[in-house]
Amino acid sequence: MGVQQHKVSVIGSGNWGSSIARLIAQNVRKQPELFHETVRVWVFEEEVNGRKLTDIINQDHENVKYLPGIRLPDNVVALPNIQDAARDANILVFVLPHQFVYQTCEKLRGVIHSECRAISLIKGLDFQNDEIMLFSDEISRILGIECSALSGANLASEVALEKYGESTIGSKNLEVDGKIFHKLFHTGYFNVTVISDYTGLQICGALKNVVAIAAGISDGLKYGNNTKSAFIRRGLLEMRKFGKTFFGGVHTETFFESCGVADLITTCAGGRNRKVAEAFIGSNKTIEQVEMELLNGQKSQGTTTALEVHRFLQARKMTDEFPLMTSVYQVIYEGAPPESIIDALQH
Amino acid sequence: MGVQQHKVSVIGSGNWGSSIARLIAQNVRKQPELFHETVRVWVFEEEVNGRKLTDIINQDHENVKYLPGIRLPDNVVALPNIQDAARDANILVFVLPHQFVYQTCEKLRGVIHSECRAISLIKGLDFQNDEIMLFSDEISRILGIECSALSGANLASEVALEKYGESTIGSKNLEVDGKIFHKLFHTGYFNVTVISDYTGLQICGALKNVVAIAAGISDGLKYGNNTKSAFIRRGLLEMRKFGKTFFGGVHTETFFESCGVADLITTCAGGRNRKVAEAFIGSNKTIEQVEMELLNGQKSQGTTTALEVHRFLQARKMTDEFPLMTSVYQVIYEGAPPESIIDALQH
C-alpha cells in the first residue's frame, strides 16, 4: 500500500451510516498501527432545532436526527462538504440511499487518494433501462478504484446498541481488501465473514425484499408456517438462480452466509416489506395506498424491486423461469388474486 | 418388477400415519394402473369408547383417537395384526414412533413380498452405543429390501386438511423407487421432490430439532430476529457439517430442499422444541420439569437428540467442532448460563 495508516471516510450519515461510523470509530482506535484515528463522515447538512447537524454531531457527539440517544465516539468528525470529507482517504465507506449514488460519486472524482479502496453498504441493485448493475461495480467504474460490499442480517439500531449481529463482506481481493475490511468492521458484537462473491451478496440484499413480500402475502392469507417456509425456500432458490443466470461468480455458498439465508429469514419474519404485503391482502387498496398509510408515503424497497425485477425478466422473456418473483409482481401490481401465489410453488 | 399393481401397506396409524394413509388412499385410486386400490394400515389395537380402534376405522372411516374429525377414504383398511397388514405388500410405508422400529421389523421378516420396497417416515436418528444409524438403513438391513425416506416442512394436521405443503423424498434408486414413491405421495396439496441424498434428508429431520432449541433459547432471552436468524444459519451449517463429516453421500443441495432449510425455518418459528426451550429460560426448572408441564411428560425430540448428539461427538472428541450443538447441550443439561450460547456464534 505504501501508507502507514489508512484514513477512513464514511460517505453518508443516516441511521445505518451513523451506526456503522460509530463501530468503525471504535475499531480504528483499537488498531492505531493500521488506521488513522479520525473517522470523517460526510453529512448532508440540515438544520435541526436551529443548529447545523454537523455542529451537533461534532459538539454533542450524537446524530440527533438519525440515531438519537446513541453517543458517537469523539473521533467521529462530521463534515458538510463531501470533498473535504473524502480528500486523501484510503478507505471510502459508501452508506447512502441508492438514488444519491451517482451524483455523489461524480463529486468524488479527482479528490480521492490514488491508493483508495471502497466498500458499498448501499441497499439494493441499480436498475436502468431494463439492465441491472451492482452499486459496487458502478462505484468502481466511476472512481476507478476497487469496491467491495457488505450486507447481512443486521439492523442499524441493533448494531448501535451493540447487540450481537453478523454480517458478510464480499470482496474481489480477499488477501488485501478483504483483510483490511475485516479489521475495519469485525468486532465482538458484529461478526463479519469475508467471501469473494460480492455479486451474490448484493443480489441477496435486494431480492430478499421481494421474497419478504411473498412471505407477507402468505401471512395475510393466514397460510401458516409451513406454507410460509415454502415461499421462503422457493425465494432462496430463485435468488440463487437469478444470480447464477445473469451474473458471473455467484456461488451457492454465499446463500449460507449471513447475507443469504440469515438475512432472508429475518426479513421474512419481521420487516416493513413483509408488513406492507400482509396489510395489502384483503385491504381493497392499492399498494401505494398501503405504503402511504404504513410508511408515510415512502416506498417499501420490496415493491419497487419486484417491479424492476419483473421488467428485467420480461425484457428477456424469462418471467416463467422465476414464478415466485413473477407472482409477487402480479399480485401486487396487476390485481391477480393473492391465492394465485400458491401456483408459483406448484410450477 | 413383475407385478401388475403395487400393493401398499402403511405400518403405523398415529396422527402422521393416518394423514399420510389418507393421502395415499386418494392417490392410489387415481392411478389404478399402478397401484392396488386397497391401502392396508397396521393399527396398534386399542379400545376407544368400548370399541376396537380398527373397527371404528373400518366402519366409520375415521381414526377418532389420532386424527379425529377427518374422514378417511373407504379404501383404507385397518388391520390389528401386522403380518396380515404387510403380507404380500410391494410397498411398505413405515410411519411409527422410533422406539417401535426394531420390534416391528422383526415381525415382518419372512412375510414380506420378495419384490418389496419401503419408505421411512420415521422421525429422528437411531443412536445406539455412541453410534448413529439411519432408520432407513436399519429397515433395509433387517428386511433385506431397499428403503427410501420422506421428510419435509409439513404437519400431519395440515396434510389431513389438504393445506398446501411440500416434502422431500430421498431414494438411492431415483429411476425406479424414486419414481414410484413420487407417484404414491405427490399431489396438488402435497408437493414432493425426489433426491438421491436420503442420508442428508434424515439428518436434517433430526438435527433441526436441536437448532430449534437454540432458537427457543434465543427467544427466551429476547434476542430478536437477527440473532435468532444467526442461530438458525449456524445450525444449518452444523447440520451440513455433521452429515458430511460422519456420513457419505450428503449433498449441499439437500439443505435447499423442503427437508432442509424450509423444515428448519418452520421448526424454529413454531413447534414444541422451540417452545420448550423458550419456557426453560429463566424458569429455574430442569428441562424435564418444563417438558412435564408443557408436554405432559413427553420428551421433546430436540432435547433427547441434543443429548445423543453430544454423546456421539464427545466419544469422538469433536464437541469443539460443533459449537452450537454443544452449547445447546450445556445450557439445557449442564446449567451453563443461557447467554453463553452467543459464544457458540463467536467461536
Side-chain angles (χ1 to χ4, degrees):
Chain A
M1 283 285 297
V3 289
Q4 285 298 105
Q5 290 175 308
H6 297 283
K7 290 183 189 163
V8 183
S9 292
V10 177
I11 308 301
S13 58
N15 188 234
W16 188 211
S18 301
S19 298
I20 211 72
R22 180 177 180 277
L23 177 149
I24 288 172
Q26 294 172 332
N27 268 2
V28 298
R29 277 210 163 134
K30 285 185 246 163
Q31 302 170 88
E33 71 290 356
L34 259 180
F35 300 108
H36 195 282
E37 192 187 4
T38 299
V39 175
R40 284 176 288 169
V41 177
W42 172 57
V43 175
F44 183 83
E45 191 70 283
E46 45 192 308
E47 293 250 329
V48 183
N49 302 326
R51 292 170 70 196
K52 288 180 177 171
L53 184 54
T54 50
D55 287 342
I56 298 174
I57 294 172
N58 291 331
Q59 290 159 14
D60 303 350
H61 305 293
E62 181 183 343
N63 186 336
V64 290
K65 178 133 189 199
Y66 297 107
L67 192 61
I70 302 288
R71 191 178 167 80
L72 300 173
D74 57 15
N75 55 330
V76 167
V77 175
L79 292 160
N81 179 296
I82 191 167
Q83 298 189 331
D84 292 340
R87 186 170 289 117
D88 292 328
N90 314 98
I91 294 179
L92 293 175
V93 178
F94 284 90
V95 50
L96 69 178
H98 61 88
Q99 60 269 32
F100 301 126
V101 174
Y102 287 96
Q103 66 196 71
T104 304
C105 282
E106 290 300 330
K107 290 182 187 149
L108 290 175
R109 282 206 221 208
V111 302
I112 58 171
H113 194 281
S114 61
E115 293 187 24
C116 183
R117 66 203 69 211
I119 187 163
S120 165
L121 277 62
I122 298 156
K123 295 184 196 301
L125 294 168
D126 187 29
F127 289 86
Q128 287 184 17
N129 306 320
D130 297 334
E131 293 294 331
I132 291 179
M133 268 82 73
L134 304 177
F135 282 115
S136 69
D137 282 346
E138 289 299 282
I139 291 168
S140 189
R141 181 180 61 76
I142 297 169
L143 298 179
I145 59 177
E146 290 292 319
C147 186
S148 301
L150 179 146
S151 181
N154 41 72
L155 284 177
S157 55
E158 294 184 0
V159 173
L161 292 169
E162 305 191 10
K163 290 193 178 178
Y164 181 83
E166 300 191 342
S167 201
T168 315
I169 288 173
S171 179
K172 269 182 221 182
N173 183 337
L174 292 183
E175 279 308 302
V176 182
D177 296 23
K179 279 185 181 164
I180 290 170
F181 286 127
H182 188 267
K183 286 181 191 297
L184 189 64
F185 288 99
H186 181 82
T187 187
Y189 64 86
F190 195 67
N191 197 327
V192 173
T193 301
V194 182
I195 62 174
S196 62
D197 179 11
Y198 66 98
T199 307
L201 174 142
Q202 290 174 84
I203 288 166
C204 285
L207 298 193
K208 67 170 193 194
N209 293 320
V210 183
V211 183
I213 292 184
I217 294 171
S218 181
D219 286 345
L221 292 168
K222 311 264 180 276
Y223 276 167
N225 283 333
N226 283 298
T227 310
K228 184 174 173 182
S229 73
F231 286 118
I232 298 171
R233 181 182 87 83
R234 293 299 184 98
L236 185 66
L237 290 175
E238 289 195 15
M239 285 160 59
R240 181 172 69 158
K241 182 174 176 177
F242 193 93
K244 293 199 175 194
T245 304
F246 301 114
F247 294 87
V250 173
H251 303 145
T252 289
E253 281 308 305
T254 303
F255 299 83
F256 285 96
E257 296 295 343
S258 180
C259 65
V261 67
D263 198 13
L264 179 64
I265 291 171
T266 193
T267 306
C268 291
R272 54 206 266 170
N273 295 289
R274 192 207 61 77
K275 192 173 147 192
V276 160
E278 185 180 28
F280 172 73
I281 301 305
S283 67
N284 287 318
K285 294 173 185 161
T286 65
I287 194 70
E288 289 79 11
Q289 288 172 317
V290 174
E291 288 175 327
M292 185 66 73
E293 289 170 18
L294 286 181
L295 309 177
N296 289 317
Q298 282 183 60
K299 296 289 291 175
S300 74
Q301 205 165 8
T303 56
T304 307
T305 307
L307 179 63
E308 291 171 334
V309 165
H310 184 72
R311 286 184 184 149
F312 177 87
L313 292 173
Q314 207 167 33
R316 286 153 184 80
K317 301 196 195 316
M318 288 181 74
T319 53
D320 283 359
E321 301 276 311
F322 296 86
L324 188 64
M325 303 280 174
T326 300
S327 182
V328 165
Y329 166 79
Q330 289 168 339
V331 171
I332 296 294
Y333 288 106
E334 291 195 336
E339 297 78 8
S340 66
I341 197 167
I342 283 283
D343 300 342
L345 301 179
Q346 292 167 321
H347 203 84
Chain B
M1 283 286 296
V3 288
Q4 286 297 106
Q5 291 174 307
H6 297 282
K7 290 184 188 162
V8 183
S9 292
V10 178
I11 308 300
S13 58
N15 187 234
W16 188 211
S18 301
S19 298
I20 211 71
R22 179 176 179 277
L23 177 149
I24 288 172
Q26 294 174 333
N27 268 1
V28 298
R29 275 210 164 135
K30 284 186 245 163
Q31 303 169 88
E33 70 290 356
L34 260 180
F35 300 108
H36 194 281
E37 190 187 6
T38 300
V39 175
R40 283 176 290 169
V41 177
W42 172 57
V43 174
F44 183 82
E45 190 71 284
E46 46 192 309
E47 293 248 330
V48 182
N49 302 327
R51 292 170 70 195
K52 289 179 176 171
L53 184 54
T54 51
D55 287 343
I56 297 173
I57 294 172
N58 291 330
Q59 290 159 14
D60 303 349
H61 305 294
E62 182 182 343
N63 186 336
V64 290
K65 179 132 188 200
Y66 298 106
L67 191 61
I70 302 288
R71 191 178 168 81
L72 300 172
D74 57 14
N75 55 330
V76 168
V77 174
L79 292 161
N81 178 296
I82 191 168
Q83 299 189 330
D84 292 341
R87 186 169 290 118
D88 293 328
N90 314 99
I91 294 178
L92 292 176
V93 178
F94 284 91
V95 49
L96 69 179
H98 61 89
Q99 60 269 32
F100 301 127
V101 174
Y102 287 95
Q103 65 196 70
T104 303
C105 282
E106 289 300 330
K107 289 183 187 148
L108 291 174
R109 282 208 221 207
V111 303
I112 59 169
H113 195 281
S114 60
E115 293 187 27
C116 183
R117 66 202 69 211
I119 187 164
S120 167
L121 277 62
I122 298 156
K123 294 182 198 302
L125 295 167
D126 187 28
F127 290 86
Q128 287 184 19
N129 306 318
D130 297 333
E131 293 293 333
I132 292 179
M133 268 83 72
L134 304 176
F135 282 115
S136 69
D137 283 346
E138 289 298 281
I139 291 167
S140 190
R141 181 180 61 76
I142 298 169
L143 298 179
I145 59 178
E146 291 292 320
C147 187
S148 301
L150 180 147
S151 183
N154 41 72
L155 285 177
S157 55
E158 293 184 359
V159 174
L161 292 169
E162 304 190 10
K163 290 192 179 177
Y164 181 83
E166 301 190 341
S167 200
T168 316
I169 287 173
S171 180
K172 270 181 223 185
N173 182 337
L174 292 182
E175 279 307 303
V176 181
D177 296 24
K179 280 187 179 162
I180 290 170
F181 285 128
H182 189 267
K183 287 182 189 296
L184 189 63
F185 287 100
H186 182 82
T187 187
Y189 63 87
F190 194 67
N191 197 327
V192 173
T193 301
V194 182
I195 61 173
S196 61
D197 179 12
Y198 65 99
T199 307
L201 174 142
Q202 289 173 83
I203 287 166
C204 286
L207 297 193
K208 69 171 191 192
N209 293 318
V210 183
V211 183
I213 292 184
I217 293 171
S218 181
D219 286 344
L221 292 167
K222 312 264 179 278
Y223 276 168
N225 283 333
N226 283 298
T227 311
K228 184 174 173 181
S229 74
F231 286 118
I232 297 172
R233 181 182 86 85
R234 294 298 184 98
L236 185 66
L237 290 174
E238 288 196 16
M239 285 161 59
R240 181 173 69 158
K241 183 174 176 178
F242 193 93
K244 293 199 176 194
T245 304
F246 301 115
F247 294 87
V250 174
H251 303 146
T252 289
E253 282 308 305
T254 302
F255 298 83
F256 285 97
E257 296 292 345
S258 180
C259 66
V261 67
D263 199 13
L264 180 64
I265 291 171
T266 193
T267 305
C268 291
R272 53 205 268 169
N273 294 289
R274 192 208 61 78
K275 192 174 146 192
V276 161
E278 184 181 28
F280 172 73
I281 301 306
S283 68
N284 287 316
K285 293 173 186 164
T286 65
I287 194 70
E288 290 78 12
Q289 288 171 316
V290 173
E291 289 175 326
M292 185 67 73
E293 290 170 17
L294 286 182
L295 310 177
N296 289 315
Q298 283 183 61
K299 298 289 290 175
S300 74
Q301 207 166 6
T303 57
T304 307
T305 306
L307 179 63
E308 292 171 335
V309 164
H310 184 71
R311 287 185 184 149
F312 177 87
L313 292 172
Q314 208 168 30
R316 286 154 185 81
K317 301 195 195 316
M318 288 181 75
T319 54
D320 283 358
E321 301 275 313
F322 296 86
L324 187 65
M325 303 278 174
T326 300
S327 182
V328 165
Y329 166 80
Q330 289 167 338
V331 171
I332 297 293
Y333 288 107
E334 290 193 337
E339 297 78 8
S340 66
I341 197 167
I342 283 284
D343 300 342
L345 301 180
Q346 293 167 318
H347 203 83

